[in-house]
Amino acid sequence: MRRMSAAVPSLPLPPLQGYVFAVLMCILAWVLSLATDVWVGPPLPALPFVMATVLSAGAGGMNPGLLATAAGVVVAFAGIHERIGQGAILLQRGLMTLFFYALIGVMISALCALLHRYRREALRQARFCEEAHDAIFAWQLEGPVLYWNRGANELYGFDTLAARSTLTHPLLGAQHRAVFEDVKATLLRTGQWSGELMHRTSDGLEVRVESRMRLIEEGAERTVVEADRDVTERARTLEALREADRRKDEFLATLAHEIRNPLAPIRNELEIMRVARGSADVIEHSRAVMERQLVHLVHLVDDLMDVGRITRGKLDLRREKLSLAETLQAALETSRPLIEEAHHEFILNLPQKPVYVLGDLTRLAQIFSNLLNNAAKYTPPGGRITLTATAVDGAAVIEVRDNGVGITAEALPDVFEMFTQINRDRGLAAGLGIGLALVHILTELHGGSVIAESAGLGAGSVFTVRLPVLQAAELEEARAPAPEAPAAVVRRRVLVADDNLDAAESLAMLLTMMGHEVRAAHDGAQAVDQAEQFRPDLILMDVGMPRVDGLQAASQIRSMAWGASPVIVALTGWGQEADRQRSKEAGCDVHLVKPLDFDRLTELLTQLAEAPARA
């Protein structure tokens, strides 16, 4: 292994240079042979051409060596020819000398060619080791480093000189000596080892490598050849994937828990209404409970949908001039039931002068209601929550403070990460882990920022949102037009198509109570037949129905002579961009995601009122 650190042997001369070198050597040998002037006697006078053959073959390979041999044979034969008359014994000796000289020349040329081939292979391997991206080095089992390539230099930070002078053992840190002893025992037992190790760099940092080692024993000297590949980033990626998988499992378990929570009181209240037998007070109480729980369910689904929209970059903001105080009041209306249910003391501090921001009312209210809900959830019953808004240096500063369970210093940097559930290990309701992530994303979309602070467990927490405020000139530009008075609702024909009987009948009943003429269908084929007979103005079409699905039914209706008139609304639980595109291609005018937003339904009916009623 010591030879690996030596200079790499040079390749033979190029062919033309090899031949030129051989000719020069032959001329030199000829001059030397003339000086001796003896060719037929002892073999020693042929030594100049033997040396010429050795040098030519060594420098240029087999062909230049054979050229020098041939030149020597020609010159020697010429000498022999001149001395034919000096006696048979001298002639015989000269011919034998000539034969052995030619044989030696061929053997020398062949041997040099073989050596050149080995030298080329050694050079190729040496270049491969030196230019490899992996760290390749050799070290004595009980001694210093013998070889150190460029990849080892780049990975570990030691140059060749430093590695040989300072490294007398592998790069395992002191805390990994037990690992080194296991590796050493395996090498001595099997002669090889492979696996992952933590090596240290020249600056003391640790790097994870995939290592392969082989032990070479030459007498008493035991040398280990090691090849390392940096897998630190891969290890981090795998760890991140494992963490993401763990968070996914926790998220799904929490989602199931969060969905069952509102379903339980809804089911209880339905049973209460059945047992109460028409008591107005009981029915009103049950209705209020179910409405609150339904709002909670819809909020969960909306958060999940928002995550999908943000991931796809499809979340649009409807920006308008907004009063900060009115925005906070809207958020408080959403969160007040949760605050009151836990009997928290709530303190609201609003700025004395009006403060205006440019933003989406729904999304801004979502930011602050999420923060208030978070404070209410993680504050023990009877706690205190404070919402304070001020204007500082051209920014609206909104602070939500509570005296709840608090956040550890280790968890603070991750509170705004998606699916992070910081209180799960403390037995508290952890939520879906997307509320604060949405707060962070929506705040940044509004050009603002949000930070979380806490002195630790039991010390409460503070979330501070900063939003840019509208200046005087911007207020004038952002002045919103006065809303138009809603048009009167005109009686319309509406077809409800849904294979869920309860969903279809309840929606049909509601539309009937609103004064519209309604029919219901429970599969796609029935929807087409009903539409042809009924000729509706509006069709609420569930997409996933048996026999003929809603999109096929919509396409068939559009193909009829009268089919261009009705407004067809695709009503489905699927809300991806691809789903909306398929609805559009099938002829649907609107794509709505379940559960149906009744404000949106009212808006559609109002828009229909602008068209003349069908006779």
Side-chain angles (χ1 to χ4, degrees):
M1 293 306 300
R2 294 183 187 276
R3 290 192 295 271
M4 293 181 68
S5 61
V8 176
S10 61
L11 287 171
L13 293 174
L16 180 59
Q17 295 181 18
Y19 289 127
V20 171
F21 183 79
V23 170
L24 293 175
M25 291 298 101
C26 289
I27 294 173
L28 180 61
W30 180 60
V31 172
L32 292 175
S33 67
L34 287 178
T36 60
D37 197 30
V38 179
W39 279 101
V40 184
L44 185 59
L47 182 60
F49 275 98
V50 174
M51 294 302 300
T53 298
V54 172
L55 293 175
S56 298
M62 185 168 185
N63 291 337
L66 292 177
L67 176 62
T69 301
V73 169
V74 170
V75 173
F77 182 78
I80 292 173
H81 187 269
E82 292 177 357
R83 294 171 173 79
I84 288 179
Q86 295 182 5
I89 295 177
L90 291 177
L91 177 61
Q92 184 181 9
R93 187 179 297 173
L95 290 175
M96 290 181 63
T97 301
L98 182 63
F99 172 75
F100 283 113
Y101 166 72
L103 181 61
I104 291 172
V106 171
M107 292 176 62
I108 290 174
S109 298
L111 180 60
C112 287
L114 185 62
L115 290 175
H116 279 311
R117 189 173 71 178
Y118 285 135
R119 289 167 68 187
R120 278 193 290 269
E121 180 63 20
L123 177 61
R124 187 187 67 81
Q125 293 181 3
R127 283 181 175 171
F128 171 78
C129 290
E130 189 60 30
E131 297 177 4
H133 293 296
D134 292 348
I136 301 176
F137 54 100
W139 45 279
Q140 287 185 336
L141 201 59
E142 303 295 343
V145 168
L146 305 176
Y147 173 75
W148 190 262
N149 79 334
R150 188 184 307 166
N153 185 355
E154 294 176 355
L155 178 57
Y156 297 119
F158 296 95
D159 59 26
T160 303
L161 181 61
R164 291 181 181 176
S165 61
T166 62
L167 299 178
T168 56
H169 55 79
L171 297 163
L172 291 165
Q175 64 271 39
H176 302 298
R177 298 307 297 172
V179 176
F180 170 61
E181 294 301 326
D182 291 342
V183 172
K184 180 180 176 180
T186 303
L187 284 171
L188 291 173
R189 185 176 67 256
T190 66
Q192 59 186 4
W193 185 91
S194 62
E196 290 190 0
L197 294 172
M198 295 297 293
H199 277 338
R200 60 181 176 84
T201 62
S202 60
D203 53 7
L205 298 178
E206 288 193 336
V207 57
R208 181 177 291 276
V209 297
E210 185 179 69
S211 181
R212 299 179 302 280
M213 302 183 194
R214 182 175 293 275
L215 179 65
I216 300 175
E217 297 188 74
E218 298 176 349
E221 187 177 88
R222 293 179 295 189
T223 303
V224 179
V225 179
E226 180 172 348
D228 294 344
R229 176 169 296 175
D230 186 3
V231 294
T232 305
E233 195 60 37
R234 186 182 74 182
R236 289 173 182 165
T237 302
L238 288 174
E239 184 60 31
L241 289 174
R242 293 190 190 99
E243 177 64 16
D245 188 59
R246 183 189 65 79
R247 287 188 178 185
K248 179 261 298 179
D249 291 341
E250 288 185 355
F251 167 74
L252 292 176
T254 306
L255 176 61
H257 171 77
E258 290 289 320
I259 290 177
R260 290 190 183 102
N261 275 345
L263 288 178
I266 288 175
R267 185 171 185 175
N268 294 341
E269 294 300 332
L270 287 172
E271 186 65 18
I272 290 172
M273 292 173 67
R274 186 184 68 81
V275 175
R277 300 183 183 278
S279 170
D281 292 340
V282 172
I283 291 175
E284 178 59 26
H285 173 269
S286 297
R287 184 202 63 78
V289 170
M290 288 190 290
E291 188 174 67
R292 285 197 303 271
Q293 298 304 320
L294 183 60
V295 167
H296 180 56
L297 269 175
V298 172
H299 186 267
L300 288 176
V301 175
D302 284 345
D303 278 354
L304 292 172
M305 294 300 297
D306 285 343
V307 170
R309 295 188 189 102
I310 290 169
T311 302
R312 301 190 311 272
K314 300 294 184 181
L315 187 66
D316 296 323
L317 298 180
R318 300 178 181 179
R319 299 179 187 271
E320 58 181 330
K321 185 194 76 170
L322 299 172
S323 165
L324 180 61
E326 293 177 0
T327 303
L328 295 178
Q329 289 288 0
L332 182 57
E333 285 302 313
T334 302
S335 303
R336 191 182 297 278
L338 189 60
I339 296 173
E340 292 178 348
E341 183 180 355
H343 305 289
H344 294 315
E345 176 189 1
F346 180 74
I347 302 171
L348 177 62
N349 298 316
L350 296 176
Q352 295 181 349
K353 295 182 179 180
V355 176
Y356 294 93
V357 296
L358 185 64
D360 185 314
L361 176 60
T362 301
R363 298 305 180 184
L364 286 178
Q366 184 178 3
I367 291 172
F368 301 117
S369 64
N370 279 1
L371 291 177
L372 289 171
N373 289 346
N374 202 63
K377 183 184 299 184
Y378 296 123
T379 300
R384 184 175 65 257
I385 300 173
T386 304
L387 174 60
T388 303
T390 56
V392 180
D393 298 331
V397 181
I398 304 93
E399 180 183 277
V400 178
R401 181 183 297 271
D402 64 67
N403 62 346
V405 297
I407 307 171
T408 63
E410 295 79 11
L412 268 176
D414 299 325
V415 294
F416 296 113
E417 293 294 325
M418 194 71 72
F419 306 131
T420 296
Q421 299 165 323
I422 59 176
N423 290 300
R424 186 179 182 85
D425 58 350
R426 284 183 269 160
L428 297 173
L432 294 180
I434 60 179
L436 290 179
L438 286 175
V439 167
H440 182 259
I441 295 170
L442 291 174
T443 302
E444 287 193 339
L445 287 176
H446 281 86
S449 62
V450 57
I451 60 173
E453 299 173 279
S454 177
L457 294 180
S461 57
V462 182
F463 289 84
T464 305
V465 176
R466 297 178 68 90
L467 295 171
V469 300
L470 287 175
Q471 306 301 323
E474 294 173 318
L475 280 172
E476 189 63 29
E477 293 177 4
R479 192 176 301 279
E484 298 179 0
V489 176
V490 178
R491 179 183 176 88
R492 290 297 180 187
R493 294 188 180 119
V494 182
L495 173 62
V496 177
D498 198 323
D499 62 326
N500 186 316
L501 299 183
D502 290 339
E505 291 178 2
S506 59
L507 183 55
M509 182 181 297
L510 175 64
L511 290 166
T512 300
M513 295 172 66
M514 293 171 65
H516 301 289
E517 184 180 354
V518 185
R519 289 191 184 180
H522 304 300
D523 60 55
Q526 192 178 59
V528 174
D529 294 339
Q530 289 275 20
E532 189 170 10
Q533 298 172 14
F534 187 47
R535 302 294 175 88
D537 301 300
L538 175 66
I539 303 175
L540 300 174
M541 184 79 74
D542 179 35
V543 171
M545 291 189 293
R547 295 175 60 191
V548 177
D549 67 33
L551 298 185
Q552 292 174 328
S555 181
Q556 291 180 26
I557 291 172
R558 289 300 190 204
S559 67
M560 298 179 180
W562 56 271
S565 299
V567 174
I568 302 180
V569 176
L571 191 58
T572 174
W574 302 100
Q576 304 293 327
E577 186 61 31
D579 302 314
R580 297 178 184 275
Q581 183 62 31
R582 283 193 289 269
S583 298
K584 183 177 180 181
E585 292 172 355
C588 297
D589 301 287
V590 182
H591 184 105
L592 296 182
V593 178
K594 294 181 178 180
L596 179 62
D597 184 344
F598 291 106
D599 290 337
R600 182 70 176 114
L601 177 60
T602 303
E603 180 183 342
L604 286 172
L605 292 169
T606 302
Q607 291 172 356
L608 281 174
E610 299 175 358
R614 189 189 304 277

